[in-house]
């Protein structure tokens, strides 16, 4: 059986996001308050740290374990672009990325989020800091 391609809405949303100028995006703060939905990814795509705001936004209870692999939360139709951008960040050819994508929530639903990612400079295992916003 042949897989259906991405929906028209997904293509249009991806295209509109690509047209945005990442250079004009405001910088991500180095320290954020716990209520701000932010997470830190390692170079292998694992969630290294996340704020309480992220847990609330993704509908996870404070005592619920979250799958540590970030890619397992990303919808399959959005995964290629996210992986490509993060690989470019790991190879230091890209500093920032913006995505409009679906993430799986703690209640096992897919919800749309706008995410701004910024590469974390330096030799640490941390790759990128992601700020999330629900649509």
């Amino acid at each position: 059986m042949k897989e259906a391609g991405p929906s028209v809405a997904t293509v249009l949303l991806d295209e509109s996001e690509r047209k945005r100028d990442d250079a004009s995006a405001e910088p991500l703060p180095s320290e954020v308050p716990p209520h701000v939905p932010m997470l830190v990814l390692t170079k292998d795509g694992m969630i290294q740290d996340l704020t309480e705001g992220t847990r609330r936004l993704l509908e996870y209870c404070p005592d619920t374990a979250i799958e540590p692999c970030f890619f397992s939360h990303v919808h399959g139709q959005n995964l290629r672009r996210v992986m490509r951008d993060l690989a470019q960040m790991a190879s230091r050819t890209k500093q920032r990325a913006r995505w409009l994508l679906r993430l799986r929530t703690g209640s096992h639903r897919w919800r749309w989020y706008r995410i701004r990612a910024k590469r974390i400079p330096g030799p640490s295992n941390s790759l990128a800091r992601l700020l999330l916003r629900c649509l």
Side-chain angles (χ1 to χ4, degrees):
M1 184 171 169
K2 189 175 181 180
E3 277 190 42
S7 69
V8 173
T10 301
V11 171
L12 291 174
L13 290 171
D14 284 348
E15 189 61 31
S16 68
E17 283 298 304
R18 260 180 249 154
K19 290 181 180 179
R20 289 183 184 257
D21 181 14
D22 285 345
S24 68
E26 61 214 53
L28 299 179
S30 57
E31 295 292 326
V32 295
H35 69 276
V36 174
M38 189 226 32
L39 55 91
V40 176
L41 296 183
T42 63
K43 292 179 179 167
D44 57 355
M46 302 302 278
I47 298 172
Q48 182 177 16
D49 191 19
L50 68 149
T51 62
E52 290 199 26
T54 303
R55 284 184 165 279
R56 272 194 305 278
L57 192 66
L58 294 176
E59 302 172 2
Y60 282 94
C61 296
D63 58 342
T64 304
I66 294 179
E67 166 63 39
C69 179
F70 176 70
F71 302 121
S72 68
H73 300 277
V74 178
H75 191 277
Q77 290 183 344
N78 306 120
L79 191 57
R80 182 182 301 179
R81 183 169 177 215
V82 171
M83 291 179 88
R84 181 198 65 214
D85 288 346
L86 290 173
Q88 289 174 346
M89 285 183 180
S91 66
R92 298 184 177 159
T93 59
K94 189 169 198 150
Q95 298 299 311
R96 298 174 187 265
R98 294 171 70 143
W99 307 304
L100 185 60
L101 53 86
R102 286 168 286 181
L103 296 176
R104 185 187 331 264
T105 66
S107 57
H108 303 288
R109 296 182 311 150
W110 293 105
R111 291 191 63 189
W112 284 98
Y113 295 89
R114 182 176 308 277
I115 299 178
R116 289 187 308 147
K118 181 180 179 188
R119 191 175 81 75
I120 298 173
S124 72
N125 190 38
S126 300
L127 170 64
R129 183 175 292 120
L130 281 58
L131 285 178
L132 291 78
R133 194 173 86 202
C134 190
L135 294 181

